[in-house]
Every structure is written in structure tokens, then in C-alpha cells.
């Protein structure tokens, strides 16, 4: 295939397995990507999304080839000195301007032939990276991202996680001749931050973004790279168009599967009949001889052999149909249903808040908040980071949070809680379930339906990815019987397939819920009521 050296990333016959293991992550992958595309990379947790980005970065040995006429830049990346002013941090994230400036000054002071030549080399490199205009370009990028340029004069460490993320994204897109690899950039962004970042990336080109936020992908990408059990597929369009096409493919595969099953049954019957005919024909030779007849044994034997050959042919076709059926089953990534059995509450109302106000350091997070959670209500708390969502959750959990107003909880309320943090998970799954009020069989069944392989059940939880650890907490919650399910940002690092499974579950069983989540599609699809806290404009604080 002809490859345009100036604009393509060519992946040829790529194969990779960690530690040279038999369980390959990628096998004989061929892809050709345009460096102007905005690609969304999706797939189950553990399918190899981050691995593919690391392969593009040249960090992992592999078979096959990856050729590109641009360099790759990976996000997230560490900041060497977060105590420096934000402008300095962003400048150094683009190119080593400070070092180049110091060396150019030294070259000018030395006044020699070699130093003069070195000075012009540095000057050419400095100008290539827009060194003389870089401060203004940084300010312009921040403005495009909806951020105040006042942040540039503050120490980078004083910015919120969301502000740091968005600022560093701006720096990435100021690098020259780079193709940007974004590995879940929305993890520290609230709803407003995601919207601003989506608008910003929608005006850019030349990147791959790993994200499980469907609304975000719909706003940002023009192509989808999907990793499943069968490999990697490339399709033009956003996530919604890919998902609709995927539904059609699943329906077609199910129809083919039913036809393959019917064909297998028909072939099995035909094979048995042909084998019976062949046996009876062969027996006929001896029966005729015993009766004193002289049949044409050559003709009869030929007929028997022909019938046996036909039986074997039918058997071969049966095996082919069985293989086709197995392949169709392997290709179908549709999720099995998950069973949830919430406890019925004793009263219609589980929680009621009246004139609730929370202040910290003389600053009100919110005032006069009123809400209630009844049987089957799924209440979403939304708002920028720092607006008091976690404080509301703590109050409903029964923790002592200084507040004004009243918050009433149904007596004997049983809560199933999924926290943001997963770092406390240690040891084996068996030890974890022993310490939890969950049914281990149901817990393991849910994990399998959320994409866990059987081998992962024997691995220590310290080795799990962030998404796998979060699935452990979600599975434990789903396997628990409770009156009220409280989930604090449950979908961080969770793949799209699992998100859609969980949505279907909640819509089917209608548990009473209070949850915080920045995935707009999830909130829109699941919540029966949305409580918006704090200001809706401004930065991620």
C-alpha cells in the first residue's frame, strides 16, 4: 500500500505480548492513520489502549513496524518543578527555552568561530519553536481553553488539578511536528472543564484520545479506533455513529449465529443419515452373498465408499459451521445482564434536606439547599470541583460535617458506598469479599460480566489497573443489598461497554441512588433528578 510520508502513520503487521507471553495483546495489526485526524481510542479495560500508545511512543519492543514522519507526545506527563510560575512550566513543557537562551548568551559572550556557529544553530532551533512569540502564543491558547491568563503568574502547584490538566494540554498543542497521544485527559475535569476541553480539542487536529466519556468523544473526534477481542478496527465518525453501526453489526452477527446453529443441526442430521446409508449398503453385500445371490460387489462397495465420503464431507461442513459459530460468539462483545436486588425501604422517603448550608473558612459552598431522595429516585449531584458535592455525600452517609439546616435519614438506612479512591485495595479478591457483606459468587459473576478474565481473579489487587480496581468496588456495591446506593464518581477509568451495562442495570432495577458523576451521558440517561451546586461557570477548583 502506498503511504504518504508527510501525513500518515503506518502500522504494519504489529504483534505484541507482555513478557513474550502466549496471550498476545495485538496480533498482526495493520493500520494507516492520517496525522490530521482526531481519533478516539475505545475498548474494554485491559484490552491494550495504553499499550498501543506506549508502542507508538517506542517504549515497548514489538514485532512488525510503526512508521511516522512526526514525533509523538504523551499525556499525562510529570512536571519537573511545580513550584515554578505556570508560564515557566508551560514554556519548558514546549521546548527547553531557558537552556537555549542561556547557551545563546554564553555563545555571544565568547565571540569565537565555533561559538558563533553554535549560536546560529541554537537560534534556528529557538525560532523553529517560536521562542520569540511563545509567551503570547501560550496566552492565546489559554484563552481558547477558557482560562484566565492571570494563572500564568501563579505557581503551577497552586492551580487545581483541572486547571493543571487544561494548561498542560495547551502546552502540548504548541509543540511543533508532534502527534499528541492523550490517555484519559478528562479524569480530573469537572463537567464545565470537560465542556471547555471538548470545545478546545474540537478545534485541533492530529491526536489520539483515550476516553470513556461518550459525550466528550462525540464533540471531539472524527474517527474511532476500537479494540476488541478480535483486534483493532478503524471507522470514520464519532462515538454515537460507531455505536449505532456496532449495534447493526451485533444484530447481523446474532442472525448469522442463529443460521449457523440451525445449519449445524441440519448437517448433524444429514451426516448421521449418510453414515447409516453407507453402513446399510456395505452390509447389503454380505446379506446378498449369504442369500446365494451374486451382487456386483464392486458397484456396491463403490456406492458405500461414495456415501461414506459424502458423510465425511458433511461432517467437515458441520465442523466448519461450528467454527463459524464459535467465531461469531467470540466477536460479540455485548454485555450480559447484571442482577441487582436492592432492599425495599420501610418508608417512601429515605433522605430529606431542608435549608442545608455548608461553609468552610467563612466561605459558603452552598446555602439553603433543599432536596429529598425517595424510593426509586436516582439523584445526581453536579457542579464544579470544590462546590460541596463530597460534603453532601458525607452528610447523607451520616458523617459529622458542620452545617446549618437539617438533614433527615430514614432510621436503619443501609447504604452501599463506592468512594473515589481505590488505593486502599490490597491482597486477594477472596480476602476482600470475606471482609465485605457481599455474596462472593454474585460478586465474581458481576466482575466477569464487566470484562474480568478468570486469570485476574488470582492476581493481587495491587497489580490491577485503575479501571479494574474501580470495577471491584462497583461489583461489591452491586452485590450488596442496600436501601440507598451512594456512588462518588464511580465511572473514573471505567470503559464505555461497562458504563452502558451499568446504565442498563440501573434503569432496569431502579435502585434509590445519590451519585456524583461528570459523564454527562450517564447523568442524562440515569438521573431522575439533578441537583446543581455552586457556580456553573469558571475554573475547576
Amino acid at each position: 500500500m502506498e503511504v504518504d510520508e508527510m501525513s500518515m502513520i503506518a502500522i504494519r503487521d504489529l504483534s505484541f505480548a507482555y513478557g513474550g507471553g502466549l496471550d498476545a495483546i495485538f496480533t498482526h495489526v495493520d493500520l494507516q492513520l492520517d496525522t490530521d485526524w482526531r481519533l478516539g481510542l475505545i475498548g474494554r479495560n485491559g484490552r491494550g489502549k495504553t499499550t498501543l500508545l506506549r508502542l507508538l511512543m517506542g517504549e515497548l519492543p514489538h514485532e512488525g513496524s510503526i512508521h511516522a514522519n512526526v514525533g509523538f507526545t504523551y499525556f499525562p506527563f510529570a512536571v519537573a518543578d511545580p513550584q515554578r510560575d505556570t508560564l515557566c512550566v508551560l514554556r519548558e513543557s514546549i521546548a527547553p527555552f531557558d537552556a537555549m537562551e542561556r547557551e545563546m548568551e554564553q555563545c555571544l559572550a565568547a565571540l569565537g568561530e565555533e561559538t558563533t556557529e553554535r549560536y546560529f544553530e541554537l537560534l534556528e532551533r529557538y525560532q523553529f519553536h517560536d521562542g520569540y512569540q511563545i509567551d503570547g502564543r501560550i496566552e492565546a491558547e489559554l484563552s481558547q481553553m477558557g482560562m484566565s491568563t492571570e494563572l500564568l503568574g501563579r505557581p503551577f502547584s497552586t492551580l487545581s488539578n483541572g486547571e493543571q490538566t487544561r494548561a498542560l494540554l495547551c502546552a502540548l498543542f504548541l509543540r511543533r511536528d508532534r502527534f499528541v497521544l492523550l490517555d484519559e485527559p478528562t479524569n480530573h475535569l469537572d463537567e464545565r472543564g470537560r465542556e471547555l476541553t471538548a470545545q478546545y480539542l474540537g478545534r485541533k487536529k492530529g491526536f489520539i484520545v483515550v476516553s470513556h466519556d461518550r459525550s466528550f468523544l462525540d464533540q471531539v473526534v472524527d474517527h474511532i479506533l476500537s479494540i476488541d477481542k478480535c483486534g483493532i478496527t478503524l471507522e470514520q465518525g464519532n462515538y454515537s455513529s460507531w455505536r449505532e453501526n456496532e449495534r447493526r453489526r451485533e444484530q447481523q452477527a446474532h442472525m448469522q449465529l442463529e443460521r449457523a446453529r440451525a445449519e449445524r443441526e441440519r448437517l448433524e442430521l444429514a451426516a448421521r443419515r449418510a453414515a447409516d446409508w453407507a453402513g446399510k449398503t456395505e452390509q447389503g453385500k454380505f446379506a446378498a452373498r449369504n442369500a446365494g445371490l451374486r451382487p456386483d460387489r464392486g458397484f456396491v462397495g463403490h456406492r458405500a465408499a461414495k456415501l461414506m465420503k459424502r458423510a465425511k464431507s458433511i461432517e467437515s461442513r458441520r465442523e466448519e459451521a461450528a467454527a463459524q459459530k464459535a467465531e461469531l460468539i467470540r466477536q460479540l462483545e455485548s454485555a450480559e445482564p447484571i442482577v441487582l436486588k436492592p432492599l425495599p425501604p420501610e418508608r417512601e422517603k429515605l433522605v430529606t434536606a431542608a435549608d442545608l448550608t455548608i461553609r468552610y473558612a467563612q466561605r459558603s459552598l452552598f446555602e439553603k439547599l433543599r432536596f429529598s431522595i425517595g424510593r426509586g429516585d436516582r439523584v445526581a449531584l453536579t457542579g464544579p470541583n470544590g462546590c460541596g458535592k463530597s460534603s453532601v455525600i458525607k452528610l447523607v452517609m451520616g458523617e459529622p460535617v458542620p452545617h446549618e439546616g437539617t438533614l433527615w435519614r430514614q432510621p436503619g438506612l443501609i447504604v452501599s458506598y463506592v468512594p473515589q479512591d481505590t488505593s486502599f485495595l490490597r491482597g486477594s479478591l477472596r480476602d476482600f469479599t470475606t471482609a465485605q457483606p457481599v455474596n462472593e459468587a454474585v460478586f465474581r459473576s458481576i466482575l466477569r460480566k464487566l470484562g474480568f478474565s478468570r486469570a485476574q481473579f488470582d492476581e493481587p489487587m495491587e497489580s490491577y489497573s485503575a479501571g479494574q480496581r474501580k470495577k471491584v468496588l462497583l461489583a461489591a456495591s452491586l452485590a450488596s443489598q442496600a436501601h440507598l446506593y451512594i456512588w462518588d464518581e464511580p465511572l473514573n477509568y471505567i470503559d464505555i461497554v461497562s458504563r452502558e451495562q451499568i446504565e442498563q442495570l440501573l434503569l432496569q432495577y431502579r435502585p434509590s441512588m445519590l451519585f456524583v458523576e461528570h459523564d454527562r451521558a450517564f447523568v442524562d440517561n440515569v438521573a431522575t433528578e439533578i441537583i446543581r451546586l455552586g457556580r456553573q461557570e469558571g475554573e475547576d477548583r
Side-chain angles (χ1 to χ4, degrees):
M1 182 182 295
E2 294 292 330
V3 176
D4 183 348
E5 297 286 345
M6 297 301 293
S7 62
M8 303 303 292
I9 300 167
I11 300 174
R12 295 289 179 264
D13 200 30
L14 175 67
S15 295
F16 174 79
Y18 280 105
L22 298 177
D23 190 11
I25 305 298
F26 300 117
T27 304
H28 305 299
V29 172
D30 289 302
L31 285 173
Q32 185 166 301
L33 311 176
D34 194 302
T35 55
D36 281 345
W37 287 348
R38 305 192 303 272
L39 293 131
L41 180 57
I42 63 173
R44 282 275 202 184
N45 294 130
R47 284 281 187 263
K49 299 185 294 297
T50 297
T51 298
L52 179 60
L53 300 187
R54 293 186 65 194
L55 287 166
L56 291 174
M57 291 290 293
E59 296 178 356
L60 300 171
H62 60 274
E63 298 178 6
S65 65
I66 299 175
H67 175 80
N69 207 36
V70 294
F72 295 98
T73 299
Y74 181 83
F75 180 90
F77 59 91
V79 172
D81 185 3
Q83 302 307 316
R84 299 185 70 187
D85 287 351
T86 300
L87 178 60
C88 295
V89 169
L90 298 186
R91 280 168 54 93
E92 293 306 296
S93 298
I94 298 165
F97 292 112
D98 290 351
M100 287 191 286
E101 290 169 356
R102 284 194 300 269
E103 191 174 352
M104 282 193 291
E105 290 177 359
Q106 294 169 0
C107 290
L108 288 175
L111 292 177
E113 182 177 346
E114 292 184 2
T115 56
T116 300
E117 183 177 348
R118 176 58 177 164
Y119 171 81
F120 282 108
E121 290 176 358
L122 289 167
L123 179 62
E124 183 178 2
R125 183 182 171 197
Y126 191 79
Q127 291 175 328
F128 173 79
H129 290 290
D130 294 322
Y132 291 112
Q133 297 87 30
I134 196 62
D135 290 2
R137 294 197 64 196
I138 289 173
E139 291 183 3
E141 289 295 303
L142 288 186
S143 296
Q144 287 187 41
M145 183 63 89
M147 301 178 71
S148 170
T149 56
E150 174 269 334
L151 299 175
L152 295 173
R154 290 168 45 188
F156 186 76
S157 60
T158 66
L159 273 60
S160 70
N161 288 333
E163 289 168 338
Q164 290 180 3
T165 293
R166 291 159 58 201
L168 292 177
L169 286 174
C170 291
L172 283 185
F173 283 95
L174 287 175
R175 295 185 183 183
R176 287 297 188 93
D177 291 339
R178 311 299 286 181
F179 188 84
V180 181
L181 308 177
L182 305 173
D183 198 354
E184 302 197 46
T186 60
N187 281 339
H188 295 295
L189 300 179
D190 59 22
E191 184 178 356
R192 177 61 175 164
R194 292 187 185 206
E195 182 65 29
L196 291 169
T197 302
Q199 293 172 8
Y200 176 81
L201 291 178
R203 295 190 291 266
K204 300 298 180 181
K205 61 182 181 180
F207 61 83
I208 294 176
V209 57
V210 177
S211 178
H212 304 305
D213 187 320
R214 291 154 289 177
S215 297
F216 182 83
L217 288 173
D218 277 347
Q219 296 177 77
V220 167
V221 307
D222 54 26
H223 287 76
I224 290 290
L225 274 172
S226 173
I227 304 179
D228 58 25
K229 291 180 180 179
C230 300
I232 307 178
T233 57
L234 172 66
E235 185 173 316
Q236 186 175 4
N238 60 16
Y239 175 77
S240 290
S241 64
W242 174 88
R243 191 68 187 95
E244 182 59 33
N245 291 334
E246 184 69 4
R247 288 192 181 96
R248 294 194 186 100
R249 286 188 287 266
E250 289 174 358
Q251 290 173 357
Q252 184 178 12
H254 278 296
M255 292 172 61
Q256 292 174 354
L257 183 59
E258 290 302 316
R259 286 197 293 268
R261 184 179 292 113
E263 177 68 4
R264 178 174 182 173
E265 293 173 355
R266 188 183 69 80
L267 290 174
E268 286 178 341
L269 177 60
R272 286 196 300 270
R273 287 177 176 174
D276 289 344
W277 292 337
K280 289 177 180 178
T281 301
E282 187 65 25
Q283 292 171 5
K285 294 190 299 182
F286 298 101
R289 186 174 57 188
N290 292 336
L293 301 175
R294 293 185 177 181
D296 186 344
R297 290 196 295 173
F299 171 77
V300 174
H302 173 72
R303 183 184 178 195
K306 186 175 181 181
L307 288 172
M308 184 59 68
K309 182 178 180 181
R310 181 184 176 193
K312 290 181 178 180
S313 175
I314 292 174
E315 179 68 14
S316 176
R317 290 171 60 193
R318 182 185 67 78
E319 293 298 329
E320 183 180 344
Q324 180 185 15
K325 173 182 175 181
E327 177 65 14
L328 287 170
I329 293 174
R330 188 171 72 91
Q331 290 179 8
L332 291 177
E333 292 258 354
S334 57
E336 301 175 44
I338 303 172
V339 177
L340 175 64
K341 296 181 179 179
L343 292 175
E346 296 180 2
R347 305 183 186 182
E348 190 65 28
K349 292 296 182 183
L350 285 76
V351 176
T352 300
D355 296 330
L356 196 62
T357 299
I358 293 182
R359 296 187 177 90
Y360 283 111
Q362 306 303 315
R363 183 174 72 89
S364 295
L365 298 183
F366 54 81
E367 297 182 358
K368 305 291 185 181
L369 178 65
R370 303 175 67 88
F371 69 89
S372 65
I373 305 173
R375 184 196 301 263
D377 290 343
R378 299 182 296 278
V379 178
L381 287 172
T382 67
N385 293 334
C387 68
K389 299 187 295 293
S390 294
S391 296
V392 173
I393 283 180
K394 290 177 181 178
L395 273 174
V396 177
M397 292 279 294
E399 297 183 21
V401 176
H403 64 280
E404 301 171 14
T406 61
L407 187 132
W408 175 87
R409 290 168 22 113
Q410 174 183 291
L413 185 70
I414 297 176
V415 172
S416 175
Y417 176 57
V418 174
Q420 291 187 36
D421 182 36
T422 63
S423 62
F424 65 91
L425 292 175
R426 295 285 187 276
S428 68
L429 282 177
R430 182 175 296 277
D431 292 340
F432 174 78
T433 54
T434 300
Q436 307 292 322
V438 300
N439 182 303
E440 184 175 358
V442 175
F443 170 75
R444 288 174 174 264
S445 176
I446 291 172
L447 282 181
R448 284 196 295 272
K449 293 169 184 176
L450 291 176
F452 262 56
S453 66
R454 293 187 181 275
Q456 288 171 327
F457 288 110
D458 298 323
E459 298 172 358
M461 288 189 287
E462 295 93 321
S463 68
Y464 288 178
S465 68
Q468 290 165 346
R469 289 195 299 270
K470 185 54 73 77
K471 285 182 179 181
V472 168
L473 296 182
L474 284 169
S477 178
L478 296 172
S480 302
Q481 287 190 298
H483 298 122
L484 179 64
Y485 294 79
I486 298 180
W487 292 356
D488 194 356
E489 298 192 23
L491 301 185
N492 282 352
Y493 306 103
I494 297 294
D495 60 78
I496 292 179
V497 175
S498 297
R499 292 183 184 212
E500 292 181 341
Q501 284 180 284
I502 294 167
E503 278 183 16
Q504 294 168 5
L505 160 73
L506 299 178
L507 293 175
Q508 179 179 358
Y509 290 96
R510 302 178 184 177
S512 302
M513 293 191 72
L514 175 67
F515 67 93
V516 174
E517 180 51 54
H518 298 305
D519 183 330
R520 191 174 70 190
F522 184 85
V523 172
D524 289 344
N525 293 338
V526 169
T528 58
E529 180 182 353
I530 298 176
I531 299 174
R532 302 187 185 277
L533 300 177
R535 63 195 188 288
Q536 299 304 308
E537 300 294 333
E539 309 300 334
D540 308 80
R541 297 303 301 165

